Amino acid sequence: MLQEYNKIMVAVDGSEEAELAFQKAVNVALRNQAELLLAHVIDTRAFQTVGSFDTMMAEQATELAKKSLKDYEKMAKDSGVSVVESVIEYGSPKTIIAKSIPVEKKVDLILLGATGLNAVERLFIGSVSEYVIRNAPCDVLVVRTDLKNELPEDENE
C-alpha cells in the first residue's frame, strides 16, 4: 500500500519560495485526495521594537495575510482541492509551524519553501525550515524547485 497523506499543511508568507511550496502542496493534495491547510504565521517579534506603531502594523499584517490566504484558497479550490482551510497564527514561525499547528490540526505532511537566509542570519536566528525538519511530528518537504522540478530562473545562474 502506498503512503497516503490526509492533511497537508503549507506555510505561506508571500515569498517566491512559499509560492513554489503552495503549488506543490496543491498537487500532493490532489494526488492524495487530502485536505489542504494554508498556514500564515505573523512573527510578532518584528513589532516589539517599534513601540506605539506595533498594534497598527500587526493589524496591517493581519489584513494582508487574510487577503493572501483568501487568494490561495481560491487557487487551491479552482485546481480541484475539495477541502481547503486557512489559519493565521501569531508568534515565532518556527515553533508554530513545527509544533503547534501540526499537533492541533493533525497534520501528516508539511510543505514549506527553502529559506532565503544567508549564513550569518542562520547563525543568529536559525532557519525556519531547519527547525521544522528537526522538530515536526510529521513528514516535512522543503521545496526548492518548481512543478517541473527546476530551480527558479534567478537561482539557475
Side-chain angles (χ1 to χ4, degrees):
M1 186 168 139
L2 295 175
Q3 168 69 49
E4 285 188 7
Y5 295 106
N6 297 307
K7 189 136 195 190
I8 298 166
M9 179 177 90
V10 59
V12 292
D13 62 5
S15 69
E16 199 173 306
E17 294 85 1
E19 177 69 25
L20 294 174
F22 168 76
Q23 291 170 7
K24 286 201 177 181
V26 166
N27 283 350
V28 174
L30 288 170
R31 282 195 305 271
N32 286 268
Q33 297 176 337
E35 296 177 24
L36 183 62
L37 174 63
L38 307 170
H40 184 97
V41 180
I42 296 174
D43 191 345
T44 53
R45 297 169 302 176
F47 305 118
Q48 291 174 348
T49 58
V50 181
S52 62
F53 296 107
D54 59 343
T55 305
M56 185 178 69
M57 290 176 68
E59 288 172 4
Q60 289 174 340
T62 300
E63 287 308 309
L64 190 62
K66 283 180 183 175
K67 183 191 179 317
S68 176
L69 287 171
K70 189 175 180 182
D71 292 344
Y72 278 123
E73 271 190 58
K74 182 180 181 339
M75 287 187 282
K77 286 180 178 176
D78 288 350
S79 296
V81 180
S82 55
V83 179
V84 183
E85 181 185 353
S86 296
V87 63
I88 298 173
E89 294 288 343
Y90 301 87
S92 169
K94 288 180 186 183
T95 55
I96 292 171
I97 293 168
K99 297 177 180 179
S100 303
I101 297 173
V103 170
E104 181 183 324
K105 299 289 188 176
K106 296 180 176 40
V107 170
D108 51 15
L109 175 64
I110 300 170
L111 281 86
L112 68 162
T115 67
L117 296 178
N118 65 38
V120 175
E121 290 172 317
R122 279 195 306 270
L123 178 65
F124 290 110
I125 61 173
S127 160
V128 171
S129 55
E130 180 182 353
Y131 186 89
V132 173
I133 289 165
R134 293 182 187 277
N135 294 282
C138 60
D139 290 348
V140 178
L141 174 60
V142 178
V143 177
R144 298 184 188 285
T145 60
D146 63 17
L147 292 176
K148 296 177 186 172
N149 290 326
E150 296 175 358
L151 287 173
E153 288 299 315
D154 56 337
E155 291 186 29
N156 281 328
E157 299 164 1

